[in-house]
Structure formats: C-alpha cells, structure tokens
Amino acid sequence: MKKLTKLKTKPNLQESRLKENLELLDQIRADAVNDIESLTENFQHMTLVAESVQRNYRALLAENQLLKGTLLSIIDECCCGQGNRCDRCWKLLKTLGSANAEENPDPARKYRSILSQLRNLE
C-alpha cells in the first residue's frame, strides 16, 4: 500500500487573525449584553427606591396636613379671641406661619450661591 504523506501547510495568518477578531467581537458582545442586563437591574432597583421615597413623602405630607389641621383647631377652640391671642396660640401661629422665615436665606439667593460654587469647581 501506498503511504500518503500529509503536507504540513503554514497556518494562514490572515485567517487566524480574522478568527481571533471574531472571537473577540463575540466576547465584547456578550459582555455588552451582561452590562445592559446589569444596568436594567440597577434601573429597576432605582425605580423601586424612588417609588418608596415618593410613598413616604406623600405619607409625610399627609401627616403634616393632619398636624397643621390639629394645631389650627386648637387655636380655633381656644378661649382667646382672634384679636387677642394667648401666648400658646401665638407660638402655634408663628410655627404654622413659618416664623423661622427670617432666619432662612432667600431661596433664589441660596440657589445662585450654590450655582456659583459649582461653577468655581469646574
């Protein structure tokens, strides 16, 4: 029988580079899909957190309205008159009327100050 000799061929560099590039592209695409899935999970979690904060804030606003109504009814039911309020009613009215407004800076001025500080950081 005849013996067949196999000819050793040189690997085609162009072909091997092409295959390596294809494998690398597949890995990049798989990583991108994983990153997108992870990002989606993060967005879903952030959405749940935002909804929770929104629910809690609404509950806080409802409680604040209830407290405000209670304080106003205490003032209305007090025996002091509208033009002649007692110390307790004056304290409640000042609290409800944001008596601390004099201490709080102007919101527009505060906003401008924050903006200028941020611009200085750039």
Side-chain angles (χ1 to χ4, degrees):
M1 273 204 180
K2 280 186 175 181
K3 283 189 176 179
L4 293 175
T5 55
K6 285 191 172 180
L7 296 174
K8 290 187 179 179
T9 59
K10 292 182 183 178
N12 188 344
L13 291 177
Q14 220 177 6
E15 183 179 335
S16 61
R17 283 184 188 157
L18 181 63
K19 286 182 180 180
E20 286 175 9
N21 285 344
L22 290 174
E23 289 174 10
L24 185 60
L25 286 174
D26 286 342
Q27 289 174 355
I28 291 172
R29 288 180 180 130
D31 287 345
V33 168
N34 288 335
D35 290 344
I36 291 171
E37 288 173 354
S38 176
L39 190 60
T40 301
E41 290 172 3
N42 289 341
F43 282 140
Q44 288 171 344
H45 175 72
M46 289 178 5
T47 300
L48 291 175
V49 169
E51 288 171 352
S52 174
V53 168
Q54 187 178 29
R55 276 192 309 272
N56 291 340
Y57 187 68
R58 282 187 179 143
L60 179 65
L61 288 177
E63 288 178 16
N64 284 348
Q65 281 299 109
L66 181 62
L67 180 60
K68 181 181 175 182
T70 302
L71 292 175
L72 286 174
S73 69
I74 289 172
I75 294 169
D76 289 341
E77 293 172 5
C78 185
C79 60
C80 65
Q82 195 172 26
N84 189 22
R85 294 288 181 197
C86 63
D87 290 339
R88 185 183 73 168
C89 289
W90 272 117
K91 286 179 186 177
L92 291 175
L93 284 170
K94 285 180 182 179
T95 301
L96 289 173
S98 296
N100 297 332
E102 298 132 13
E103 298 171 12
N104 292 336
D106 180 24
R109 183 177 297 145
K110 187 174 180 180
Y111 176 74
R112 277 186 247 126
S113 170
I114 291 171
L115 278 180
S116 65
Q117 289 173 5
L118 289 174
R119 288 180 183 140
N120 290 336
L121 292 176
E122 293 176 355

